Amino acid sequence: MEINVIQHDGYAQLVVTGRIDSSTAPQFEGALIAQLDGAATSTLVDMTAVDFVSSAGLRVFLMGAKKVKGTAAEMILCAMNDNIRNVFKMSGFDRILSIADSLEDGVGQVSN
């Protein structure tokens, strides 16, 4: 897994490439929490190049959602492939997380 952070005006884009599973979830958690801790703005998690999310990965997303709840920060997941979108839907996470169909839609959801 590879993670890159791109700072934009008003939001940060966390670009994730590869699998988010039990072996990579700690690395992803560290990057996501570090971004959310430092963010007074929005964090878009760009999932265009993510090909798998395990239950360990879902746990990290849930932690992120709890971290931003009640703060000025927000976390928006963007551009999931259909298989990953189904995992989020079947687990009910699509009802508790902000999910955008594309990166452009995510940028449109950013609160300024």
Side-chain angles (χ1 to χ4, degrees):
M1 180 181 64
E2 184 178 322
I3 302 170
N4 293 301
V5 178
I6 303 169
Q7 296 294 334
H8 297 275
D9 187 28
Y11 69 96
Q13 179 183 352
L14 195 67
V15 182
V16 185
T17 303
R19 298 170 58 94
I20 305 173
D21 57 23
S22 60
S23 64
T24 60
Q27 176 189 358
F28 177 60
E29 179 179 344
L32 181 63
I33 298 303
Q35 184 58 46
L36 295 175
D37 277 346
T41 60
S42 300
T43 299
L44 302 184
V45 182
D46 184 349
M47 299 183 66
T48 304
V50 175
D51 52 22
F52 180 79
V53 177
S54 73
S55 59
L58 289 174
R59 182 188 64 78
V60 176
F61 286 110
L62 185 58
M63 287 178 58
K66 288 180 180 179
K67 189 138 197 80
V68 299
K69 187 175 184 175
T71 71
E74 59 186 330
M75 178 180 73
I76 302 169
L77 314 183
C78 305
M80 295 178 185
N81 70 39
D82 290 340
N83 291 334
I84 293 174
R85 183 75 173 227
N86 285 335
V87 168
F88 277 76
K89 188 173 186 174
M90 290 175 61
S91 65
F93 279 41
D94 64 330
R95 293 187 301 271
I96 58 175
L97 298 170
S98 295
I99 300 174
D101 290 334
S102 67
L103 184 59
E104 294 78 21
D105 290 344
V107 171
Q109 291 180 23
V110 170
S111 302
N112 288 323

